[in-house]
């Protein structure tokens, strides 16, 4: 198979949802269809057990388990599907944001009872930054949920994306009958089954066919006729290009736990989801079909065992063919680097991999050379863009507890930040170091790991910041002037970029009004 065929065969995507909407369950059903697992219950949820919600050691252990399921590769109808897992715990939201930079599309799971929830809104914002195509799966139709029209309106409103239903439910909850596929014009009847794969589809080309009344009963059949008429009237025809440009999200209804509606989703997914897309470096657009290999690191998972201090760096292949043992250029260090134990992840298994193609994810064992955002190439300079840092929500100052171990503390902090555990901001005045995170758990993680791995001790002192804003201006003089006048609130991020530390929303607004020439960004790339 040549490179072109390998690319055409691949689909790399992530499933996102608010915790509990059914991401793990849907993942498992997709793997069952792909034959990657044999029985339900085989996929370990990366969700953190309720009793462990604030016990980060327990969480790390569970995260350790979920490394194996970070990437799940499987084949379905000759398509190689790479499903990237995203952490369920909201304290690890940064991990999810970064994972989304390595996918070409997304399936979003929404609970029909709860509707669009806050985590989904945040994740959708990240998708919108890159116009990632989204398919929506409205789950748990076996429960009494919200009215499907209301759900669609809510998605459009809260997620700021147009929707186009491609299937439609016939009732819900106890009286749930099934879904009508508007695209294929076929009916799938609901039968609760947690384990088997049900896929009986009944062709109903004409909704006036009396067979429909026999199958679901006259009143439900009439309701469906009305609904379909309304949908066809209200929503424009589905245009796959609108989906590919991230403008319209096709919507499916189903029940993941009952394996219902999942096959329709998967069949449509492989038909319409984008194959590996081009990626932008600082200099140019890199196309997947280019001969020469290139890729970037989007995730690093550290080994918590101090006896084995290696980490796994996850690379997304962007172009050409990745080959094991071949030296590649590590662009940031401008040095060659070679990997003898590149790993591919296939559902629950991992195996040594000899070559990988655009869209594939390769796990590389690393002793500390790689960091998030690093680019590997066959010699070309230029770093891939699109792996921004997002403004954290909680800030604490690092207080060194052992002056004899200052070097260790610095080294440890830097390495942990490179893994993406948290973000470090160093104030221009007094070099005070402030760690910013999305969740509180990271502070415990950092403290423990600094002690265990670097023999450094620190404490955290809370700081009252609202946001870290990356600042820029077309007018260098104005920027210099701003930095001078706000010097007590100016820090640098890990890459030395200027950051304004805003204490409150109102104050930030005031500063923004007073300095119209200064741009304030909530992500590090703009
Ligand atoms: P997550 O990864 O998005 O956090 O969600 P997960 O798949 O773990 O699902 C959360 C809960 O919702 C699970 O119940 C799961 O069984 C249930 N669920 C998933 N899909 C459906 C569905 O279509 N209908 C209904 N009624 N429930 C669904 P749990 O009680 O937490 O676990 P379990 O004991 O049932 O496995």
């Amino acid at each position: 198979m040549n490179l072109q065929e390998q690319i055409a065969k691949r689909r790399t995507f992530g499933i996102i949802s608010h915790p509990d909407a059914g991401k793990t369950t849907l993942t498992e059903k997709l793997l069952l269809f792909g034959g990657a697992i044999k029985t339900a219950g085989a996929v370990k949820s990366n969700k953190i057990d309720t009793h462990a919600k604030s016990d980060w050691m327990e969480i790390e252990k569970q995260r350790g388990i979920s490394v194996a399921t970070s990437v799940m590769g499987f084949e379905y109808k000759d398509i190689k599907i790479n499903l990237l897992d995203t952490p369920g715990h909201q304290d690890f939201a940064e991990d999810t944001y970064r994972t989304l930079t390595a996918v070409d599309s997304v399936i979003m799971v929404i609970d029909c009872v709860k509707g669009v929830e806050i985590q989904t809104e945040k994740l959708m914002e990240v998708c919108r930054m890159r116009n990632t195509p989204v398919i929506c799966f409205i789950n748990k139709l076996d429960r009494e949920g919200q009215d499907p029209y209301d759900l669609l309106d809510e998605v459009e409103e809260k997620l700021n994306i147009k929707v186009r239903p491609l299937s439609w439910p016939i009732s819900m909850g106890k009286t749930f009958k099934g879904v009508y596929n508007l695209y294929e014009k076929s009916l799938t009847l609901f039968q609760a089954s947690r384990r088997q794969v049900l896929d009986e589809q009944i062709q109903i080309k004409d909704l006036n066919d009396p067979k429909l009344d026999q199958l679901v009963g006259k009143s439900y059949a009439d309701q469906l006729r009305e609904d379909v008429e309304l949908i066809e009237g209200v929503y424009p025809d589905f245009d796959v290009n609108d989906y590919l440009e991230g403008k319209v999200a096709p919507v499916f209804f189903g029940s993941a736990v009952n394996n219902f509606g999942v096959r329709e989703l998967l069949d449509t997914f492989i038909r319409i989801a984008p194959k590996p897309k081009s990626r932008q470096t600082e200099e140019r657009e890199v196309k997947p079909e280019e001969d020469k290999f290139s890729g970037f690191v989007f995730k690093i998972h550290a080994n918590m065992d101090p006896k084995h201090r290696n980490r796994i760096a996850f690379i997304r292949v962007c172009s050409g063919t990745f080959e094991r043992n071949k030296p590649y250029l590590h662009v940031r260090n401008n040095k060659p680097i070679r990997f003898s134990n590149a790993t591919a992840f296939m559902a629950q298994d991992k195996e040594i991999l000899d070559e990988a193609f655009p869209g594939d994810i390769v796990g590389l064992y690393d002793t500390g050379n790689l960091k998030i955002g690093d680019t590997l190439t066959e010699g070309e300079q230029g770093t891939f863009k699109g792996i921004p840092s997002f403004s954290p929500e909680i800030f604490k100052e690092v207080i060194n507890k052992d002056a004899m171990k200052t070097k260790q503390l610095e080294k440890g902090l830097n390495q942990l930040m490179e893994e993406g555990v948290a973000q470090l901001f160093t104030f221009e005045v007094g070099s005070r170091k402030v760690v910013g995170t999305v969740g509180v758990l990271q502070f415990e993680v950092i403290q423990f790991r600094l002690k265990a791995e670097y023999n450094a001790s620190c404490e955290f002192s809370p700081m009252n910041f609202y946001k870290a804003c990356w600042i820029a201006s077309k007018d260098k003089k104005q920027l210099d002037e701003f930095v001078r006048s706000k010097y007590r609130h100016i820090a640098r991020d890990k890459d030395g970029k200027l950051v304004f530390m805003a204490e409150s929303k109102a104050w930030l607004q005031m500063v923004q009004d007073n300095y119209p020439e200064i741009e304030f960004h909530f992500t590090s790339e703009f």
Side-chain angles (χ1 to χ4, degrees), residues 205-223:
K205 291 280 172 220
D206 177 3
L207 278 174
N208 290 319
D209 190 338
K211 203 160 86 184
L212 181 65
D213 302 73
Q214 287 161 21
L215 290 167
V216 301
K218 177 144 177 35
S219 74
Y220 290 119
D222 284 342
Q223 181 66 47

Side-chain angles (χ1 to χ4, degrees), residues 27 29 31 48 104 106 109 118 153 186 203 215 244 247 265 310 316 320 331 383 395 402 449-450 460 466 523:
T27 302
K29 302 300 170 185
L31 294 180
I48 310 303
D104 298 300
V106 151
V109 185
I118 183 79
D153 286 349
S186 64
Q203 290 298 315
L215 290 167
L244 291 172
K247 290 184 190 148
L265 175 73
N310 56 9
R316 146 115 194 184
V331 174
T383 307
F395 299 88
D402 184 351
R449 289 191 55 190
L450 282 173
F460 290 107
Y466 158 68
T523 64

Side-chain angles (χ1 to χ4, degrees), residues 15-27 29 45-48 85-86 88 109 111 113 137-143 190 194 254-260:
I15 303 187
I16 56 174
S17 75
H18 191 88
D20 270 349
K23 181 169 68 71
T24 311
T25 314
L26 180 64
T27 302
K29 302 300 170 185
S45 166
N46 73 1
K47 199 171 37 173
I48 310 303
D85 197 13
T86 52
V109 185
D111 181 332
V113 184
F137 183 74
I138 299 190
N139 191 26
K140 307 199 184 180
L141 266 279
D142 57 320
R143 290 203 180 153
F190 178 67
R194 289 194 168 220
S255 168
V257 81
N258 291 298
N259 216 343
F260 187 80

Side-chain angles (χ1 to χ4, degrees), residues 135-155:
I135 296 180
C136 207
F137 183 74
I138 299 190
N139 191 26
K140 307 199 184 180
L141 266 279
D142 57 320
R143 290 203 180 153
E144 306 294 336
Q146 299 176 33
D147 176 75
Y149 292 108
D150 291 347
L151 282 165
L152 295 181
D153 286 349
E154 195 180 323
V155 172

Side-chain angles (χ1 to χ4, degrees), residues 352-370:
I352 293 286
L353 156 152
D354 290 317
E355 45 178 27
F357 303 95
D360 284 343
I361 309 299
V362 182
L364 301 174
Y365 287 90
D366 168 52
T367 47
N369 294 314
L370 296 174

